[in-house]
Amino acid sequence: LASGDPVGDPRSWPAVIELTYGKAIVRLFRINGCEDMRTLNVLFLCTGNSARSILAEALANHLGRERIRAYSAGSHPKGVVHPVALQVLSEIGFDVAGLSSKPWDAFAGPEAPQMDLIVTVCDRAAGEACPVWPGHPATAHWGIPDPAAVQGSADQVHKAFLSTLHQLQHRLGLLLALKPEALDRMALQSQVRALGNGAEAHAPDNTGEASPM
């Protein structure tokens, strides 16, 4: 799905994602001699960790394959995943068994996986005091409306969740399309923040320096 496309029939998403952002991207990097590219650990944060960050975690793990290992957490987790989030993910064939709502402190301890990138997907979480993350990962904010806040019929709420999934799919697709030289810490932070501002990311110039924020 391109950024301007309608949400469309979610039953067709797995094939489109697989072709556009799955094997095709991995194959491109292997041709460029980057077989040893390490996996990026990415943590998606929102307040309740029940909708947007859950969708982001599931989608990033599906799209990223060998390139991204995604996680999610919340500053004030609800403790349960929103049922419509699980519904839309199940409808497009994603495994939802391991998805859970949990506190972000779970990723701040010494035994937690070290993150390369932290992405907040709601404005409230972006404004809160975060834990000190081990390894000082790159950070970015992707402000996305909360589909759980939509009031209306069951069909309207369902469409809101699909729209959120579509927005995340577009930004994650651009993230996966970044060239290897864009994945050092400072360049990665600049590129992913640009995606949050609605701009397409580009590889840095030959100096390897990221643009100032």
Side-chain angles (χ1 to χ4, degrees), residues 1-17 55 59 84 88-89 91-92 144 147 155-170:
L1 297 174
S3 60
D5 290 342
V7 171
D9 185 351
R11 290 172 295 182
S12 68
W13 285 18
V16 174
I17 290 170
L55 296 176
L59 192 57
V84 182
V88 297
L89 290 171
E91 286 172 351
I92 58 175
I144 295 175
D155 184 60
Q156 289 172 320
V157 173
H158 186 269
K159 286 182 178 179
F161 273 81
L162 285 179
S163 177
T164 298
L165 199 62
H166 174 72
Q167 293 177 62
L168 289 165
Q169 180 261 331
H170 175 62

Side-chain angles (χ1 to χ4, degrees), residues 2 10 19 30 35 45 47 64 81 94 111 120 123 155 169 194:
L19 173 64
R30 285 178 175 165
E35 294 90 343
L45 300 176
T47 305
V81 178
F94 286 17
E111 297 183 359
T120 51
D123 294 337
D155 184 60
Q169 180 261 331

Side-chain angles (χ1 to χ4, degrees), residues 24-121:
I25 292 295
V26 173
R27 190 156 52 240
L28 171 64
F29 278 92
R30 285 178 175 165
I31 290 172
N32 288 340
C34 296
E35 294 90 343
D36 60 346
M37 177 179 290
R38 67 185 178 87
T39 300
L40 290 176
N41 284 334
V42 182
L43 177 61
F44 294 96
L45 300 176
C46 66
T47 305
N49 189 213
S50 65
R52 288 164 289 185
S53 54
I54 292 287
L55 296 176
E57 175 188 359
L59 192 57
N61 279 325
H62 185 84
L63 298 180
R65 303 288 178 161
E66 300 169 29
R67 295 195 56 209
I68 289 179
R69 178 67 180 97
Y71 306 84
S72 71
S75 57
H76 299 87
K78 293 184 179 296
V80 294
V81 178
H82 196 290
V84 182
L86 297 176
Q87 178 186 352
V88 297
L89 290 171
S90 297
E91 286 172 351
I92 58 175
F94 286 17
D95 182 8
V96 300
L99 298 174
S100 64
S101 177
K102 51 200 167 296
W104 61 13
D105 290 342
F107 295 94
E111 297 183 359
Q114 184 167 308
M115 296 298 152
D116 300 290
L117 175 64
I118 308 284
V119 181
T120 51
V121 291

